[in-house]
Amino acid sequence: MDALGSAARTEESFRKNAAAFALLRERIRTEGRRVELGGGTQAMEKHRSKGKLPARERIARLLDPGSTFLEIGQFAAYGMYEEHGGAPSAGTVFGVGIIHGREVVLVANDATVKAGAWFPLTCKKNLRAQEIAIENRLPIVYLVDSAGVYLPMQAEIFPDREHFGRIFRNNAVMSSLGIPQIAAIMGPCVAGGAYLPIMSDEALIVDKTGSVFLAGSHLVRAAIGEEVENEALGGATIHCEISGVTDYKMRDDAECLDKVRSIIGKMGDRPRAGFDRIDPVAPAFDAEEIVGILPADRAKPYDMYQVLARIIDDRSFDEYKAGFGRTIITGYARIDGWAVGIVANQRSVVRTRKGEMQVGGVIYSDSADKAARFIMNCNQKRIPLVFFQDVTGFMVGSRAEHGGIIKDGAKMVNAVANSVVPKFTVIVGNSYGAGNYAMCGKAYDPRLIVAWPTAQIAVMGGKQASETLLGIRLRAMEAGGRHVSEAEQKALLSEIQSRYDAELDPLFAAARLWVDAIIDPTETRSVLSRGIAMADRNPEIPRFNPGVLQV
Protein backbone atom coordinates (compact mmCIF):
# COMPACT_ATOMS: atom_id res chain seq x y z
CA MET A 1 0.00 0.00 0.00
CA ASP A 2 1.45 3.34 -1.10
CA ALA A 3 0.89 5.65 1.86
CA LEU A 4 1.49 9.35 2.37
CA GLY A 5 3.93 10.15 5.17
CA SER A 6 3.64 12.86 7.79
CA ALA A 7 5.98 15.05 5.72
CA ALA A 8 2.92 15.89 3.63
CA ARG A 9 1.92 18.35 6.34
CA THR A 10 4.36 20.84 4.80
CA GLU A 11 2.76 20.69 1.35
CA GLU A 12 0.58 23.60 0.29
CA SER A 13 -2.26 21.35 -0.93
CA PHE A 14 -2.27 19.52 2.40
CA ARG A 15 -2.57 22.79 4.32
CA LYS A 16 -5.42 24.04 2.11
CA ASN A 17 -7.30 20.77 2.43
CA ALA A 18 -6.82 20.70 6.21
CA ALA A 19 -8.00 24.31 6.54
CA ALA A 20 -11.17 23.58 4.54
CA PHE A 21 -11.86 20.47 6.61
CA ALA A 22 -11.34 22.40 9.85
CA LEU A 23 -14.34 24.58 8.98
CA LEU A 24 -16.53 21.53 8.38
CA ARG A 25 -15.32 19.89 11.58
CA GLU A 26 -15.98 22.97 13.70
CA ARG A 27 -19.48 23.39 12.29
CA ILE A 28 -20.42 19.81 13.22
CA ARG A 29 -18.95 20.23 16.70
CA THR A 30 -20.74 23.56 17.24
CA GLU A 31 -24.09 22.17 16.12
CA GLY A 32 -23.51 19.10 18.28
CA ARG A 33 -23.01 21.25 21.38
CA ARG A 34 -26.17 23.19 20.56
CA VAL A 35 -28.21 20.01 20.15
CA GLU A 36 -26.96 18.69 23.49
CA LEU A 37 -28.67 21.62 25.25
CA GLY A 38 -31.95 19.82 24.55
CA GLY A 39 -34.89 22.12 25.26
CA GLY A 40 -32.56 24.92 26.36
CA THR A 41 -31.08 26.31 29.58
CA GLN A 42 -34.40 27.23 31.21
CA ALA A 43 -35.91 23.83 30.48
CA MET A 44 -32.81 22.17 31.94
CA GLU A 45 -33.04 24.24 35.13
CA LYS A 46 -36.74 23.40 35.52
CA HIS A 47 -35.95 19.71 35.00
CA ARG A 48 -33.22 19.76 37.68
CA SER A 49 -35.50 21.63 40.11
CA LYS A 50 -37.65 18.48 40.22
CA GLY A 51 -34.65 16.48 41.45
CA LYS A 52 -34.17 14.89 38.02
CA LEU A 53 -30.93 14.45 36.07
CA PRO A 54 -30.81 15.40 32.36
CA ALA A 55 -30.90 12.50 29.90
CA ARG A 56 -27.20 12.58 29.01
CA GLU A 57 -26.18 12.75 32.68
CA ARG A 58 -28.38 9.74 33.42
CA ILE A 59 -26.58 7.79 30.71
CA ALA A 60 -23.17 8.96 31.92
CA ARG A 61 -23.88 7.60 35.41
CA LEU A 62 -24.59 4.17 33.97
CA LEU A 63 -21.32 3.86 32.07
CA ASP A 64 -18.14 2.21 33.31
CA PRO A 65 -15.59 4.85 34.41
CA GLY A 66 -13.30 5.81 31.54
CA SER A 67 -15.50 4.21 28.88
CA THR A 68 -17.05 6.10 25.99
CA PHE A 69 -20.64 6.39 24.84
CA LEU A 70 -21.23 5.78 21.13
CA GLU A 71 -24.15 8.14 20.55
CA ILE A 72 -26.43 7.36 17.62
CA GLY A 73 -28.86 9.82 16.09
CA GLN A 74 -27.50 12.90 17.84
CA PHE A 75 -28.72 15.06 14.94
CA ALA A 76 -32.09 13.33 14.53
CA ALA A 77 -34.77 15.87 13.55
CA TYR A 78 -32.11 18.58 13.08
CA GLY A 79 -33.78 21.57 11.42
CA MET A 80 -37.13 19.77 11.42
CA TYR A 81 -40.43 20.41 13.25
CA GLU A 82 -39.52 24.10 13.50
CA GLU A 83 -43.20 25.06 13.27
CA HIS A 84 -43.65 23.07 16.51
CA GLY A 85 -40.66 24.66 18.23
CA GLY A 86 -38.12 22.05 17.11
CA ALA A 87 -37.10 18.75 18.65
CA PRO A 88 -33.32 18.51 19.25
CA SER A 89 -32.16 14.88 18.93
CA ALA A 90 -35.86 14.06 18.41
CA GLY A 91 -36.26 14.35 22.19
CA THR A 92 -34.37 11.10 22.80
CA VAL A 93 -30.73 10.28 23.53
CA PHE A 94 -29.58 6.82 22.50
CA GLY A 95 -26.44 4.86 21.78
CA VAL A 96 -24.25 2.02 22.98
CA GLY A 97 -22.35 2.18 26.25
CA ILE A 98 -20.21 -0.16 28.33
CA ILE A 99 -21.65 -1.34 31.67
CA HIS A 100 -19.60 -3.83 33.67
CA GLY A 101 -17.58 -4.53 30.53
CA ARG A 102 -20.64 -5.35 28.43
CA GLU A 103 -22.06 -3.46 25.44
CA VAL A 104 -25.56 -2.21 26.28
CA VAL A 105 -28.02 -0.18 24.21
CA LEU A 106 -29.19 2.84 26.21
CA VAL A 107 -32.29 4.91 25.37
CA ALA A 108 -33.25 7.98 27.41
CA ASN A 109 -36.17 10.34 26.84
CA ASP A 110 -35.14 13.99 27.08
CA ALA A 111 -37.97 15.55 29.08
CA THR A 112 -36.59 19.05 28.42
CA VAL A 113 -37.84 18.69 24.83
CA LYS A 114 -41.64 18.95 24.81
CA ALA A 115 -41.80 16.91 28.05
CA GLY A 116 -40.19 14.00 26.21
CA ALA A 117 -43.08 13.72 23.76
CA TRP A 118 -42.69 11.43 20.75
CA PHE A 119 -42.39 12.99 17.30
CA PRO A 120 -42.30 10.82 14.14
CA LEU A 121 -38.47 10.89 14.18
CA THR A 122 -38.51 9.92 17.88
CA CYS A 123 -40.30 6.76 16.91
CA LYS A 124 -37.89 6.03 14.06
CA LYS A 125 -34.96 6.60 16.39
CA ASN A 126 -36.32 4.27 19.08
CA LEU A 127 -36.98 1.59 16.47
CA ARG A 128 -33.35 1.94 15.36
CA ALA A 129 -32.26 1.40 18.97
CA GLN A 130 -34.28 -1.80 19.17
CA GLU A 131 -32.95 -2.89 15.76
CA ILE A 132 -29.37 -2.56 16.99
CA ALA A 133 -30.22 -4.53 20.14
CA ILE A 134 -31.86 -7.28 18.07
CA GLU A 135 -29.13 -7.53 15.40
CA ASN A 136 -26.35 -7.73 17.97
CA ARG A 137 -28.26 -9.46 20.79
CA LEU A 138 -27.41 -6.62 23.18
CA PRO A 139 -29.26 -5.86 26.43
CA ILE A 140 -31.26 -2.63 26.24
CA VAL A 141 -32.06 -0.13 28.98
CA TYR A 142 -34.93 2.35 28.62
CA LEU A 143 -34.78 5.47 30.79
CA VAL A 144 -38.42 6.56 30.53
CA ASP A 145 -39.49 10.16 31.06
CA SER A 146 -42.11 11.01 28.47
CA ALA A 147 -45.52 12.62 28.06
CA GLY A 148 -46.29 10.18 25.23
CA VAL A 149 -47.19 10.85 21.60
CA TYR A 150 -46.94 14.48 20.41
CA LEU A 151 -50.65 14.87 19.72
CA PRO A 152 -50.49 17.56 16.98
CA MET A 153 -48.65 14.97 14.83
CA GLN A 154 -50.44 11.83 16.01
CA ALA A 155 -51.46 10.80 12.48
CA GLU A 156 -47.77 10.51 11.55
CA ILE A 157 -46.80 8.32 14.48
CA PHE A 158 -49.73 6.20 15.64
CA PRO A 159 -51.10 3.44 13.40
CA ASP A 160 -48.62 2.37 10.69
CA ARG A 161 -46.15 -0.51 10.57
CA GLU A 162 -43.13 1.62 11.49
CA HIS A 163 -45.03 3.77 13.99
CA PHE A 164 -45.44 3.78 17.77
CA GLY A 165 -47.05 0.35 18.13
CA ARG A 166 -44.02 -1.32 16.55
CA ILE A 167 -42.05 -0.44 19.69
CA PHE A 168 -44.22 -2.72 21.85
CA ARG A 169 -44.28 -5.43 19.19
CA ASN A 170 -40.47 -5.33 19.32
CA ASN A 171 -40.58 -5.57 23.14
CA ALA A 172 -42.36 -8.89 22.77
CA VAL A 173 -40.09 -10.17 19.98
CA MET A 174 -36.94 -9.22 21.89
CA SER A 175 -38.21 -11.05 24.94
CA SER A 176 -38.73 -14.18 22.84
CA LEU A 177 -35.13 -13.87 21.57
CA GLY A 178 -33.79 -13.73 25.12
CA ILE A 179 -32.59 -10.13 24.85
CA PRO A 180 -32.66 -8.56 28.35
CA GLN A 181 -34.75 -5.37 28.62
CA ILE A 182 -34.69 -3.13 31.68
CA ALA A 183 -36.86 -0.04 32.07
CA ALA A 184 -36.35 2.73 34.60
CA ILE A 185 -39.42 4.96 34.97
CA MET A 186 -37.90 8.29 35.93
CA GLY A 187 -40.78 10.58 34.97
CA PRO A 188 -44.23 10.33 33.39
CA CYS A 189 -45.06 7.23 31.40
CA VAL A 190 -48.48 7.71 29.85
CA ALA A 191 -51.10 5.88 27.76
CA GLY A 192 -49.70 3.51 25.12
CA GLY A 193 -46.20 4.43 26.25
CA ALA A 194 -46.91 2.66 29.53
CA TYR A 195 -46.55 -0.65 27.74
CA LEU A 196 -42.86 -0.13 26.93
CA PRO A 197 -41.54 -0.44 30.51
CA ILE A 198 -44.10 -3.02 31.54
CA MET A 199 -43.30 -5.24 28.56
CA SER A 200 -39.64 -5.11 29.59
CA ASP A 201 -38.21 -7.87 31.80
CA GLU A 202 -37.89 -5.62 34.84
CA ALA A 203 -39.15 -2.15 35.69
CA LEU A 204 -37.79 0.30 38.23
CA ILE A 205 -39.66 3.46 39.25
CA VAL A 206 -38.43 6.60 41.02
CA ASP A 207 -40.61 7.70 43.94
CA LYS A 208 -42.50 10.99 43.54
CA THR A 209 -41.15 11.72 40.02
CA GLY A 210 -41.94 8.47 38.20
CA SER A 211 -45.50 7.55 37.28
CA VAL A 212 -47.16 5.11 34.90
CA PHE A 213 -50.82 4.87 33.87
CA LEU A 214 -52.96 4.35 30.80
CA ALA A 215 -54.77 7.64 31.44
CA GLY A 216 -53.69 10.61 33.56
CA SER A 217 -55.89 12.37 36.06
CA HIS A 218 -57.29 14.88 33.52
CA LEU A 219 -58.35 12.14 31.11
CA VAL A 220 -59.78 10.01 33.93
CA ARG A 221 -61.87 12.96 35.06
CA ALA A 222 -63.10 13.57 31.52
CA ALA A 223 -63.75 9.89 30.78
CA ILE A 224 -65.40 8.58 33.95
CA GLY A 225 -65.73 11.60 36.26
CA GLU A 226 -63.32 10.24 38.89
CA GLU A 227 -61.26 12.78 40.83
CA VAL A 228 -57.77 11.38 41.51
CA GLU A 229 -54.23 12.79 41.54
CA ASN A 230 -51.51 11.28 39.34
CA GLU A 231 -49.46 10.01 42.30
CA ALA A 232 -52.43 8.13 43.74
CA LEU A 233 -53.30 6.92 40.26
CA GLY A 234 -49.97 5.46 39.22
CA GLY A 235 -47.04 6.55 41.39
CA ALA A 236 -44.20 4.40 42.72
CA THR A 237 -45.96 3.35 45.93
CA ILE A 238 -49.10 2.28 44.05
CA HIS A 239 -47.26 0.16 41.52
CA CYS A 240 -44.66 -1.36 43.83
CA GLU A 241 -46.97 -2.11 46.79
CA ILE A 242 -50.54 -2.42 45.42
CA SER A 243 -50.72 -3.19 41.68
CA GLY A 244 -47.39 -5.02 41.45
CA VAL A 245 -46.82 -3.47 38.03
CA THR A 246 -43.24 -2.35 38.82
CA ASP A 247 -40.46 -4.29 40.54
CA TYR A 248 -38.21 -1.77 42.32
CA LYS A 249 -39.08 1.45 44.16
CA MET A 250 -36.15 3.90 44.05
CA ARG A 251 -35.59 7.04 46.14
CA ASP A 252 -34.09 9.17 43.36
CA ASP A 253 -32.37 9.08 39.98
CA ALA A 254 -28.97 8.22 41.45
CA GLU A 255 -30.23 5.17 43.36
CA CYS A 256 -32.24 4.03 40.35
CA LEU A 257 -29.24 4.17 38.01
CA ASP A 258 -27.01 2.38 40.51
CA LYS A 259 -29.59 -0.40 40.72
CA VAL A 260 -29.67 -0.73 36.92
CA ARG A 261 -25.88 -1.10 36.91
CA SER A 262 -26.08 -3.70 39.63
CA ILE A 263 -28.67 -5.76 37.73
CA ILE A 264 -26.63 -5.69 34.52
CA GLY A 265 -23.47 -6.59 36.42
CA LYS A 266 -25.00 -9.93 37.39
CA MET A 267 -25.94 -11.05 33.88
CA GLY A 268 -24.28 -14.20 32.61
CA ASP A 269 -22.16 -14.19 29.47
CA ARG A 270 -23.28 -15.85 26.25
CA PRO A 271 -21.63 -17.48 23.22
CA ARG A 272 -20.14 -15.13 20.65
CA ALA A 273 -19.81 -15.10 16.88
CA GLY A 274 -16.06 -15.61 17.16
CA PHE A 275 -14.81 -13.00 14.69
CA ASP A 276 -11.04 -13.14 14.58
CA ARG A 277 -9.11 -10.65 16.68
CA ILE A 278 -5.45 -10.37 17.63
CA ASP A 279 -3.50 -7.72 19.50
CA PRO A 280 -4.00 -4.44 17.62
CA VAL A 281 -1.21 -2.61 15.83
CA ALA A 282 -1.39 1.14 15.27
CA PRO A 283 -1.85 2.37 11.69
CA ALA A 284 1.29 3.28 9.75
CA PHE A 285 0.41 6.98 9.83
CA ASP A 286 -1.49 9.47 11.96
CA ALA A 287 -5.26 9.52 11.30
CA GLU A 288 -5.22 13.31 11.65
CA GLU A 289 -3.46 13.43 8.26
CA ILE A 290 -6.69 12.28 6.57
CA VAL A 291 -8.04 15.83 6.72
CA GLY A 292 -5.18 16.99 4.50
CA ILE A 293 -5.56 14.13 2.04
CA LEU A 294 -9.25 14.75 1.25
CA PRO A 295 -9.32 17.54 -1.35
CA ALA A 296 -11.20 20.74 -0.53
CA ASP A 297 -12.57 20.55 -4.09
CA ARG A 298 -14.59 17.32 -3.97
CA ALA A 299 -14.32 16.95 -7.76
CA LYS A 300 -10.56 16.40 -7.50
CA PRO A 301 -9.16 12.85 -7.21
CA TYR A 302 -7.21 11.46 -4.27
CA ASP A 303 -5.73 8.11 -3.35
CA MET A 304 -7.99 6.02 -1.10
CA TYR A 305 -5.02 3.78 -0.22
CA GLN A 306 -3.59 6.74 1.69
CA VAL A 307 -6.81 7.11 3.69
CA LEU A 308 -6.91 3.39 4.51
CA ALA A 309 -3.27 3.48 5.67
CA ARG A 310 -4.37 5.81 8.48
CA ILE A 311 -7.22 3.58 9.68
CA ILE A 312 -6.19 -0.08 9.36
CA ASP A 313 -3.51 -1.86 11.39
CA ASP A 314 -0.02 -1.45 9.94
CA ARG A 315 1.10 -4.21 7.55
CA SER A 316 -2.25 -6.00 7.78
CA PHE A 317 -3.54 -5.40 4.24
CA ASP A 318 -3.82 -8.35 1.84
CA GLU A 319 -5.20 -6.85 -1.35
CA TYR A 320 -7.56 -8.97 -3.45
CA LYS A 321 -7.27 -8.71 -7.26
CA ALA A 322 -5.02 -5.65 -6.97
CA GLY A 323 -4.56 -5.19 -10.72
CA PHE A 324 -8.18 -5.78 -11.75
CA GLY A 325 -11.26 -3.56 -11.38
CA ARG A 326 -9.14 -0.82 -9.89
CA THR A 327 -11.87 1.77 -9.16
CA ILE A 328 -12.84 -0.40 -6.19
CA ILE A 329 -10.22 -1.51 -3.67
CA THR A 330 -10.85 -4.89 -2.03
CA GLY A 331 -8.75 -6.70 0.52
CA TYR A 332 -8.45 -8.31 3.92
CA ALA A 333 -7.13 -6.17 6.76
CA ARG A 334 -7.33 -5.60 10.50
CA ILE A 335 -8.90 -2.69 12.33
CA ASP A 336 -7.89 -2.49 15.99
CA GLY A 337 -6.96 -6.16 15.75
CA TRP A 338 -10.29 -7.29 14.21
CA ALA A 339 -10.12 -9.09 10.87
CA VAL A 340 -12.22 -7.26 8.27
CA GLY A 341 -12.90 -7.24 4.55
CA ILE A 342 -12.41 -3.79 3.00
CA VAL A 343 -14.48 -2.58 0.04
CA ALA A 344 -13.52 1.00 -0.84
CA ASN A 345 -14.06 3.32 -3.80
CA GLN A 346 -10.78 4.46 -5.33
CA ARG A 347 -10.96 8.16 -6.20
CA SER A 348 -7.76 8.32 -8.25
CA VAL A 349 -7.98 8.13 -12.03
CA VAL A 350 -6.68 4.65 -12.86
CA ARG A 351 -5.36 2.94 -15.96
CA THR A 352 -6.47 -0.57 -16.91
CA ARG A 353 -4.15 -3.26 -18.23
CA LYS A 354 -5.44 -2.40 -21.71
CA GLY A 355 -4.25 1.17 -21.22
CA GLU A 356 -7.75 2.62 -20.80
CA MET A 357 -8.34 5.43 -18.30
CA GLN A 358 -11.09 4.96 -15.71
CA VAL A 359 -12.58 7.81 -13.67
CA GLY A 360 -12.13 7.53 -9.92
CA GLY A 361 -15.26 7.11 -7.80
CA VAL A 362 -17.16 5.43 -10.65
CA ILE A 363 -18.01 1.72 -10.51
CA TYR A 364 -17.16 -0.06 -13.76
CA SER A 365 -18.15 -3.62 -14.73
CA ASP A 366 -14.80 -5.11 -13.73
CA SER A 367 -14.89 -3.35 -10.34
CA ALA A 368 -18.46 -4.53 -9.63
CA ASP A 369 -17.55 -8.09 -10.60
CA LYS A 370 -14.47 -8.06 -8.34
CA ALA A 371 -16.37 -6.57 -5.38
CA ALA A 372 -19.19 -9.12 -5.67
CA ARG A 373 -16.73 -12.01 -5.64
CA PHE A 374 -14.82 -10.55 -2.68
CA ILE A 375 -18.03 -10.02 -0.66
CA MET A 376 -18.94 -13.67 -1.21
CA ASN A 377 -15.46 -14.72 -0.06
CA CYS A 378 -15.84 -12.73 3.18
CA ASN A 379 -19.18 -14.47 3.83
CA GLN A 380 -17.52 -17.83 3.21
CA LYS A 381 -14.80 -16.97 5.75
CA ARG A 382 -17.07 -15.24 8.34
CA ILE A 383 -15.20 -11.95 8.07
CA PRO A 384 -17.11 -8.70 8.73
CA LEU A 385 -17.24 -6.22 5.85
CA VAL A 386 -16.35 -2.53 5.98
CA PHE A 387 -17.37 -0.25 3.10
CA PHE A 388 -15.69 3.12 2.50
CA GLN A 389 -17.98 5.10 0.21
CA ASP A 390 -16.92 7.89 -2.11
CA VAL A 391 -18.92 6.96 -5.18
CA THR A 392 -20.61 8.90 -7.95
CA GLY A 393 -22.42 5.84 -9.30
CA PHE A 394 -22.03 3.19 -11.99
CA MET A 395 -20.47 3.95 -15.37
CA VAL A 396 -22.96 5.03 -18.06
CA GLY A 397 -22.86 5.30 -21.83
CA SER A 398 -23.16 2.90 -24.77
CA ARG A 399 -19.84 1.18 -24.16
CA ALA A 400 -20.73 0.46 -20.52
CA GLU A 401 -24.24 -0.71 -21.42
CA HIS A 402 -22.96 -3.00 -24.17
CA GLY A 403 -20.44 -4.40 -21.72
CA GLY A 404 -23.22 -5.39 -19.28
CA ILE A 405 -22.84 -2.79 -16.54
CA ILE A 406 -26.42 -3.42 -15.38
CA LYS A 407 -25.73 -7.14 -15.03
CA ASP A 408 -22.46 -6.64 -13.14
CA GLY A 409 -23.95 -3.91 -10.98
CA ALA A 410 -26.89 -6.17 -10.12
CA LYS A 411 -24.42 -8.91 -9.17
CA MET A 412 -22.71 -6.59 -6.68
CA VAL A 413 -26.00 -5.31 -5.24
CA ASN A 414 -27.17 -8.92 -4.87
CA ALA A 415 -24.02 -9.89 -2.96
CA VAL A 416 -24.36 -6.90 -0.61
CA ALA A 417 -28.08 -7.50 -0.03
CA ASN A 418 -27.68 -11.19 0.79
CA SER A 419 -24.48 -10.87 2.82
CA VAL A 420 -24.90 -12.46 6.26
CA VAL A 421 -21.73 -11.26 7.99
CA PRO A 422 -21.98 -7.90 9.78
CA LYS A 423 -21.54 -4.90 7.48
CA PHE A 424 -20.31 -1.43 8.41
CA THR A 425 -20.35 1.64 6.19
CA VAL A 426 -18.31 4.84 6.31
CA ILE A 427 -19.42 7.60 3.93
CA VAL A 428 -16.22 9.48 3.20
CA GLY A 429 -17.45 11.79 0.44
CA ASN A 430 -19.96 11.27 -2.36
CA SER A 431 -22.72 8.70 -2.01
CA TYR A 432 -24.72 9.07 -5.19
CA GLY A 433 -27.34 7.02 -6.98
CA ALA A 434 -27.07 3.24 -7.18
CA GLY A 435 -23.51 3.57 -5.89
CA ASN A 436 -25.05 4.17 -2.46
CA TYR A 437 -26.84 0.83 -2.72
CA ALA A 438 -23.93 -1.20 -4.07
CA MET A 439 -21.62 0.19 -1.37
CA CYS A 440 -24.02 -0.78 1.44
CA GLY A 441 -26.14 2.30 2.05
CA LYS A 442 -28.76 2.43 4.79
CA ALA A 443 -31.24 0.30 2.80
CA TYR A 444 -28.80 -2.65 2.91
CA ASP A 445 -28.74 -3.13 6.68
CA PRO A 446 -25.28 -2.06 7.82
CA ARG A 447 -24.88 -2.68 11.54
CA LEU A 448 -23.57 0.89 11.74
CA ILE A 449 -23.46 3.56 9.04
CA VAL A 450 -21.50 6.72 9.78
CA ALA A 451 -20.54 9.77 7.76
CA TRP A 452 -17.60 12.15 7.80
CA PRO A 453 -18.33 15.91 7.64
CA THR A 454 -17.41 15.70 3.92
CA ALA A 455 -20.26 13.27 3.12
CA GLN A 456 -23.05 13.94 0.61
CA ILE A 457 -25.94 11.57 -0.07
CA ALA A 458 -28.18 12.08 -3.11
CA VAL A 459 -29.44 10.59 -6.36
CA MET A 460 -26.71 12.53 -8.19
CA GLY A 461 -24.24 15.35 -7.64
CA GLY A 462 -25.44 18.92 -7.19
CA LYS A 463 -24.22 20.24 -10.56
CA GLN A 464 -25.77 17.43 -12.60
CA ALA A 465 -29.02 17.46 -10.62
CA SER A 466 -29.42 21.23 -10.81
CA GLU A 467 -28.83 21.32 -14.57
CA THR A 468 -31.26 18.43 -15.08
CA LEU A 469 -33.95 20.12 -12.98
CA LEU A 470 -33.34 23.41 -14.77
CA GLY A 471 -33.81 21.72 -18.15
CA ILE A 472 -37.13 20.24 -17.04
CA ARG A 473 -38.31 23.63 -15.73
CA LEU A 474 -37.28 25.47 -18.90
CA ARG A 475 -39.02 22.99 -21.20
CA ALA A 476 -42.23 23.35 -19.19
CA MET A 477 -42.03 27.16 -19.31
CA GLU A 478 -41.28 27.24 -23.03
CA ALA A 479 -44.11 24.78 -23.71
CA GLY A 480 -46.39 27.32 -22.07
CA GLY A 481 -45.22 29.93 -24.58
CA ARG A 482 -42.84 31.84 -22.33
CA HIS A 483 -39.36 32.77 -23.48
CA VAL A 484 -36.78 32.60 -20.66
CA SER A 485 -33.86 35.00 -20.90
CA GLU A 486 -30.30 33.98 -20.11
CA ALA A 487 -30.37 36.09 -16.93
CA GLU A 488 -33.56 34.34 -15.78
CA GLN A 489 -32.00 30.98 -16.52
CA LYS A 490 -29.01 31.83 -14.33
CA ALA A 491 -31.31 32.98 -11.51
CA LEU A 492 -33.37 29.78 -11.75
CA LEU A 493 -30.22 27.65 -11.74
CA SER A 494 -28.93 29.46 -8.65
CA GLU A 495 -32.25 28.91 -6.84
CA ILE A 496 -32.35 25.21 -7.74
CA GLN A 497 -28.67 24.75 -6.82
CA SER A 498 -29.16 26.35 -3.39
CA ARG A 499 -32.12 24.11 -2.57
CA TYR A 500 -30.35 20.98 -3.77
CA ASP A 501 -27.11 21.85 -1.93
CA ALA A 502 -29.06 22.14 1.33
CA GLU A 503 -30.19 18.54 0.86
CA LEU A 504 -26.58 17.42 0.27
CA ASP A 505 -25.55 18.67 3.73
CA PRO A 506 -24.56 15.69 5.93
CA LEU A 507 -26.73 17.19 8.69
CA PHE A 508 -29.72 16.79 6.36
CA ALA A 509 -28.97 13.06 6.13
CA ALA A 510 -28.29 12.72 9.86
CA ALA A 511 -31.55 14.54 10.70
CA ARG A 512 -33.48 11.83 8.85
CA LEU A 513 -31.38 8.96 10.30
CA TRP A 514 -29.97 8.01 6.89
CA VAL A 515 -26.73 7.75 8.86
CA ASP A 516 -26.27 6.83 12.51
CA ALA A 517 -23.73 9.54 13.26
CA ILE A 518 -21.44 12.15 11.78
CA ILE A 519 -17.98 11.33 13.06
CA ASP A 520 -14.52 12.80 12.78
CA PRO A 521 -12.17 10.74 10.57
CA THR A 522 -9.90 10.27 13.59
CA GLU A 523 -12.75 8.40 15.34
CA THR A 524 -13.33 5.94 12.48
CA ARG A 525 -11.04 3.21 13.76
CA SER A 526 -12.51 3.21 17.28
CA VAL A 527 -16.12 3.37 16.03
CA LEU A 528 -15.60 0.42 13.67
CA SER A 529 -13.87 -1.58 16.40
CA ARG A 530 -16.78 -0.88 18.74
CA GLY A 531 -19.24 -1.94 16.05
CA ILE A 532 -17.49 -5.26 15.44
CA ALA A 533 -17.32 -5.92 19.19
CA MET A 534 -21.10 -5.36 19.31
CA ALA A 535 -21.68 -7.68 16.35
CA ASP A 536 -19.52 -10.37 17.94
CA ARG A 537 -22.17 -10.65 20.68
CA ASN A 538 -24.58 -12.38 18.28
CA PRO A 539 -23.39 -15.92 17.47
CA GLU A 540 -26.20 -16.58 14.99
CA ILE A 541 -24.91 -16.15 11.43
CA PRO A 542 -27.17 -17.83 8.87
CA ARG A 543 -25.87 -19.69 5.84
CA PHE A 544 -24.93 -17.39 2.97
CA ASN A 545 -27.15 -17.84 -0.09
CA PRO A 546 -26.70 -15.18 -2.80
CA GLY A 547 -29.66 -16.42 -4.81
CA VAL A 548 -29.55 -16.12 -8.60
CA LEU A 549 -26.50 -14.18 -9.82
CA GLN A 550 -26.25 -12.87 -13.38
CA VAL A 551 -22.83 -14.40 -14.02
Side-chain angles (χ1 to χ4, degrees), residues 155-231:
E156 298 176 49
I157 189 174
F158 172 63
D160 210 345
R161 184 177 184 273
E162 301 301 330
H163 283 180
F164 198 52
R166 190 76 173 183
I167 301 288
F168 318 129
R169 175 263 187 194
N170 285 352
N171 285 140
V173 169
M174 292 164 74
S175 183
S176 74
L177 293 171
I179 298 171
Q181 299 176 80
I182 298 171
I185 302 166
M186 310 180 81
C189 185
V190 185
Y195 286 107
L196 185 147
I198 308 312
M199 292 187 74
S200 299
D201 301 331
E202 295 179 273
L204 305 83
I205 185 167
V206 178
D207 195 23
K208 300 297 185 292
T209 57
S211 58
V212 55
F213 32 66
L214 292 180
S217 56
H218 294 295
L219 183 54
V220 168
R221 186 180 305 114
I224 64 174
E226 181 183 359
E227 295 287 343
V228 59
E229 294 300 318
N230 282 342
E231 186 65 25

Side-chain angles (χ1 to χ4, degrees), residues 353-432:
R353 193 171 285 253
K354 296 178 182 178
E356 300 164 340
M357 301 302 292
Q358 292 186 343
V359 179
V362 177
I363 302 175
Y364 291 77
S365 282
D366 54 358
S367 299
D369 181 79
K370 175 176 82 169
R373 179 61 182 260
F374 179 71
I375 289 165
M376 290 189 282
N377 282 343
C378 287
N379 277 272
Q380 187 88 333
K381 298 177 175 69
R382 292 170 64 100
I383 298 174
L385 285 157
V386 180
F387 295 81
F388 288 89
Q389 282 197 20
D390 195 341
V391 58
T392 53
F394 286 91
M395 190 58 190
V396 297
S398 60
R399 186 171 183 175
E401 298 293 359
H402 297 171
I405 186 65
I406 295 176
K407 175 190 69 176
D408 291 318
K411 187 190 306 181
M412 183 177 175
V413 170
N414 186 312
V416 174
N418 286 304
S419 181
V420 295
V421 294
K423 296 168 292 192
F424 302 88
T425 302
V426 180
I427 302 179
V428 172
N430 303 324
S431 179
Y432 297 157

